[in-house]
């Protein structure tokens, strides 16, 4: 603080601090606290707000358990509350997206950090960045067109003779997963790229010199070194995927439902902000718990990610 | 097991820059061979070509008589010790050492035993479970040696591995490295820019400059009988006279300089123009009386005490600076600053050499 004042003067420092405070308090903390508080109150007509029925309860949270649906994964048939099912599917497909993002980003990151000529890396980065200049909505719609039943992807594959009949891509969660990977893969790429770049190339050469085949070099030397980067990329991709509304809304099929869509339905269709808030906090809380468990399982420390 | 290495007309180009130019050398099995030269002379490139990280543009590299063309580093019987050691910081010491065995599918118990054995060999018992960051510079050095020895290489390649250590430790590790080499009998190829290191440890030294090997010989020969001015200057200090070669008899030539005409050994490659006379400071005599041969008169400018020797800097009457080194054992009188003195040198101890290095 002393340092800030000395460097920028008291006036500018005060303005900076006030702006940061406004950002954090007014735009983040207060709305969240408001929603959190309202998530414990029933959805009431305006006239009854503040009346005898307006009491705190967990009713909104318990609504996730209402409405059973029958599922039969792996031959077992059982009943599960529909919103709980949506939640688990959201988590599961977010994990799939995260894993696939890693599979795509790791070779790219390794290539850029250790194989490509340093002079060509800025060009590669630019090529990767250019699609980001297009709005997320447009990119999702672009994928919707690409993946359409009579769209370019099917035409291409048919023309190449790789498939005999058009594939229905936008079915189940397939298109959602593809769209989410496209949208969030860079959040995996950059942390992994940074982590791999910081690895001393001599270590890779030393491993090779000692006789290690390429996969062993990656498994024992590069991946362990890049683990913090992979972890921070995974947390970002997972959280962003689980919290994405746009991509599942546009690329979702009749048989897909993302938990954020359920939240959105409570907000915008049912206009029940109280239940919607409760659902939003369920998602936030359980995702955080899930990430914490995953970090514990993979022996990643919070300080590793912050690097 | 150790293998010899043959480099036959090996060249290496980086774009239009020729890093190694027509290197020919036969390194014998079990030999301690050093490549000595200033930075950028191509010695590291030679090492990386032998280990397989760089392919030669031309020429052949044979290890144990077998052509190494197309062999990746992980297929060659060499082990490289990197300048920065490149230990694996995320593995404990024993896993570092046994990494080469791990990739060969050796089971864990055998690996562990082998690591312990090697740690005893490099005088570092009990460090097996430590992490790299817990070791000192010298200890890391030993771990790097153990890690390279673990794969039982026929050739060990060392890329200035001592340059990061302090002087005392460096001198200690020199002896240590030499001892390990003798014990294991592995061929060592050592890269350094430190002439003291190369001379003290090696069976033979190859002095390099600008991608060319200037001279290959044993350390005494390199120091006492350099082939050209570059080698003479790189492996030691000299008083250098410019002049012209006169009459030659029994390998001793007369050499006319502005400071007088001297007699000195004529180097093999000293033909034609651009030759100079090189005299080592410790071969330069300084006394009040006029020496019998190659006498130059001058005045003492500065006397600096260096511990094991005393350097006397003088200026000749003709204005040339000369240095003489006297042993600090009381055997010679140290002249005072400002004293009028005679300097000289034995003809057999001075050499007339081509000034420039050998170029392509």
């Amino acid at each position: 603080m002393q340092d800030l004042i000395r460097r920028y003067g008291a006036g500018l420092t005060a303005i900076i601090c006030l702006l940061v405070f406004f950002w954090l308090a007014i735009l983040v903390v207060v709305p969240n606290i408001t929603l959190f508080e309202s998530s414990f109150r029933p959805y009431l007509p305006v006239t009854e707000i503040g009346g005898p029925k307006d009491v705190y309860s967990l009713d909104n949270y318990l609504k996730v358990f209402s409405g059973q649906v029958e599922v039969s994964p792996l031959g077992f048939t059982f009943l599960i509350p529909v919103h709980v099912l949506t939640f688990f599917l959201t988590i599961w497909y977010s994990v799939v997206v995260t894993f696939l993002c890693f599979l795509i980003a790791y070779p790219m990151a390794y290539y850029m950090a250790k194989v490509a000529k340093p002079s060509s890396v800025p060009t590669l980065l630019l090529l990767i960045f250019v699609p980001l200049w297009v709005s997320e909505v447009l990119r999702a719609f672009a994928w919707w067109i690409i993946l359409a039943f009579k769209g370019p992807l099917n035409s291409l594959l048919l023309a190449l003779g790789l498939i005999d009949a058009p594939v229905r891509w936008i079915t189940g969660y397939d298109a959602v997963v593809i769209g989410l990977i496209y949208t969030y893969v860079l959040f995996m790429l950059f942390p992994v790229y940074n982590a791999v770049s910081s690895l001393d190339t001599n270590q890779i050469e030393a491993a090779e010199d000692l006789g290690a085949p390429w996969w062993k070099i990656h498994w024992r030397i590069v991946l362990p070194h890049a683990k913090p980067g992979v972890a921070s990329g995974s947390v970002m991709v997972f959280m962003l995927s689980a919290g994405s509304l746009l991509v599942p809304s546009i690329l979702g099929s009749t048989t897909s439902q993302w938990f954020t869509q359920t939240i959105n339905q409570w907000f915008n269709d049912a206009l029940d902000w109280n239940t919607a808030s409760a659902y939003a906090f369920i998602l936030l809380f359980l995702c955080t718990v899930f990430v914490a468990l995953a970090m514990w399982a993979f022996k990643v420390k919070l300080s590793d990610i912050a690097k | 097991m150790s293998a010899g290495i043959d480099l036959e007309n090996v060249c290496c180009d980086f774009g239009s820059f020729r890093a190694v130019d027509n290197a020919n050398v036969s390194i014998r099995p079990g030999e301690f061979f050093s490549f000595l030269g200033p930075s950028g002379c191509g010695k590291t490139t030679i090492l990386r070509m032998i280990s397989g990280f760089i392919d030669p543009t031309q020429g052949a590299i044979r290890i144990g008589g077998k052509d190494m063309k197309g062999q990746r580093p992980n297929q060659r019987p060499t082990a490289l010790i990197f300048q920065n050691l490149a230990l694996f910081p995320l593995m404990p010491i024993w896993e570092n050492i046994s990494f080469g065995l791990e990739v060969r599918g050796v089971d864990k118990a055998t690996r562990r035993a082998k690591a312990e054995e090697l740690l005893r060999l490099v005088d570092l018992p009990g460090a097996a479970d430590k992490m790299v960051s817990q070791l000192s510079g010298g200890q890391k050095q030993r771990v790097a040696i153990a890690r390279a020895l673990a794969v039982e290489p026929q050739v060990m390649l060392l890329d200035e591995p001592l340059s990061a250590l302090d002087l005392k430790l460096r001198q200690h590790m020199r002896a240590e490295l030499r001892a390990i080499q003798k014990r294991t009998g592995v061929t060592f190829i050592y890269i350094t820019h430190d002439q003291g290191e190369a001379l003290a440890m090696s069976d033979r030294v190859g002095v390099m400059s600008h991608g060319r090997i200037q001279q290959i010989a044993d350390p005494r020969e390199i120091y006492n009988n350099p082939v050209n001015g570059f080698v003479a200057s790189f492996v030691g200090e000299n008083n250098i006279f410019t002049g012209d070669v006169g009459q030659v008899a029994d390998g001793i030539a007369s050499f006319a300089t502005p400071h007088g005409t001297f007699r000195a050994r004529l180097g093999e490659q000293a033909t034609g123009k651009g030759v100079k006379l090189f005299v080592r400071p410790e071969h330069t005599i300084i006394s009040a009386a006029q020496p019998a041969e190659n006498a130059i008169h001058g005045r003492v400018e500065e006397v600096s005490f260096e511990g094991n020797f005393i350097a006397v800097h003088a200026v000749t009457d003709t204005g040339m600076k000369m240095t003489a080194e006297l042993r600090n054992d009381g055997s010679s009188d140290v002249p005072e600053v400002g004293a009028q003195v005679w300097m000289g040198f034995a003809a057999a101890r001075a050499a007339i050499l081509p000034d420039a290095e050998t170029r392509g």
Side-chain angles (χ1 to χ4, degrees), chain A residues 200 205 208-210 220, chain B residues 48 72 80 95 102 104:
Chain A
D200 174 15
E205 293 188 340
E208 191 182 358
D209 189 60
L210 291 167
R220 290 286 274 146
Chain B
R48 290 177 71 80
R72 296 289 308 149
L80 174 59
E95 279 187 36
E102 184 187 328
R104 284 163 178 76

Side-chain angles (χ1 to χ4, degrees), chain B residues 117-130:
Chain B
E117 182 196 323
L118 283 162
L119 279 172
R120 279 194 298 277
L121 177 80
V122 296
D123 201 18
L124 204 65
D129 291 308
K130 289 191 179 160

Side-chain angles (χ1 to χ4, degrees), chain B residues 43-351:
Chain B
K43 56 191 193 296
T44 298
T45 308
I46 285 197
L47 199 74
R48 290 177 71 80
M49 285 194 289
I50 296 172
S51 57
F53 289 109
I54 304 177
D55 292 322
T57 315
Q58 285 171 41
I61 295 171
R62 281 190 294 276
I63 301 178
K66 190 169 163 238
D67 194 351
M68 284 292 126
K69 196 174 171 61
Q71 300 271 303
R72 296 289 308 149
N74 53 16
Q75 299 165 318
R76 297 189 184 204
T78 57
L80 174 59
I81 295 183
F82 289 80
Q83 189 165 11
N84 66 359
L85 305 182
L87 296 176
F88 307 132
L90 300 176
M91 298 180 196
I93 297 306
W94 79 269
E95 279 187 36
N96 259 282
I97 293 173
S98 64
F99 183 80
L101 304 174
E102 184 187 328
V103 302
R104 284 163 178 76
V106 176
D107 70 274
K108 193 172 170 182
T110 316
R111 286 193 334 247
R112 174 87 199 199
K114 182 77 185 173
E116 304 265 8
E117 182 196 323
L118 283 162
L119 279 172
R120 279 194 298 277
L121 177 80
V122 296
D123 201 18
L124 204 65
D129 291 308
K130 289 191 179 160
M131 295 306 280
V132 176
S133 55
Q134 289 170 282
L135 301 186
S136 68
Q139 290 173 324
K140 285 181 192 167
Q141 191 68 60
R142 289 153 199 263
V143 172
I145 295 164
R147 184 177 72 174
L149 286 172
V151 298
E152 292 175 2
Q154 296 175 15
V155 180
M156 281 270 264
L157 306 166
L158 301 97
D159 186 5
E160 307 205 23
L162 304 187
S163 56
L165 304 181
D166 61 63
L167 181 67
K168 263 270 168 281
L169 197 54
R170 204 156 62 219
Q171 286 172 341
H172 178 68
M173 285 307 295
R174 272 185 201 175
E176 196 90 331
L177 269 178
R178 184 72 182 147
I180 289 170
Q181 195 262 340
K182 286 279 169 249
R183 232 177 296 162
T184 55
V186 174
T187 313
F188 269 45
I189 300 182
Y190 193 92
I191 295 292
T192 182
H193 62 261
D194 181 330
Q195 43 114 349
E197 233 168 72
L199 298 183
M201 294 199 290
S202 319
D203 294 320
R204 282 194 301 161
V205 179
V207 183
M208 289 190 71
S209 171
H210 290 100
R212 287 207 140 236
I213 299 177
Q214 305 289 326
Q215 185 174 7
I216 299 171
D218 65 60
R220 280 163 194 267
E221 182 77 3
I222 291 275
Y223 190 83
N224 292 333
N225 206 359
V227 293
N228 59 34
F230 174 79
V231 176
S233 306
F234 196 75
V235 297
E237 300 298 317
N238 295 281
N239 294 307
I240 304 169
F241 297 90
T242 314
D244 297 301
V245 181
Q247 292 217 310
V248 187
D250 292 337
I252 303 286
S254 72
F255 194 72
T257 77
H259 316 285
T261 299
F262 304 121
R263 278 160 40 78
R265 231 161 12 89
L266 185 66
E268 278 170 35
Q269 295 178 24
T271 50
K273 288 258 168 218
V275 295
K276 285 182 179 173
L277 175 63
F278 293 82
V279 192
R280 299 273 186 220
E282 70 270 26
H283 295 153
T284 304
I285 308 155
I286 196 156
S287 65
Q290 183 172 356
E293 60 176 344
N294 296 331
I296 320 149
H297 190 260
R299 181 178 167 276
V300 175
E301 287 280 289
E302 194 192 334
V303 176
S304 65
F305 181 72
E306 304 277 350
N308 53 343
F309 69 90
I310 298 152
V312 181
H313 303 283
V315 174
T316 65
D317 295 346
T318 46
M320 190 188 125
K321 285 190 177 173
M322 283 184 71
T323 303
E325 283 172 12
L326 306 175
R327 287 172 54 128
N328 183 24
D329 58 359
S331 64
S332 37
D333 295 329
V334 180
E336 297 290 316
V337 174
Q340 297 292 320
V341 288
W342 282 97
M343 287 164 286
F345 50 88
R349 294 284 199 177

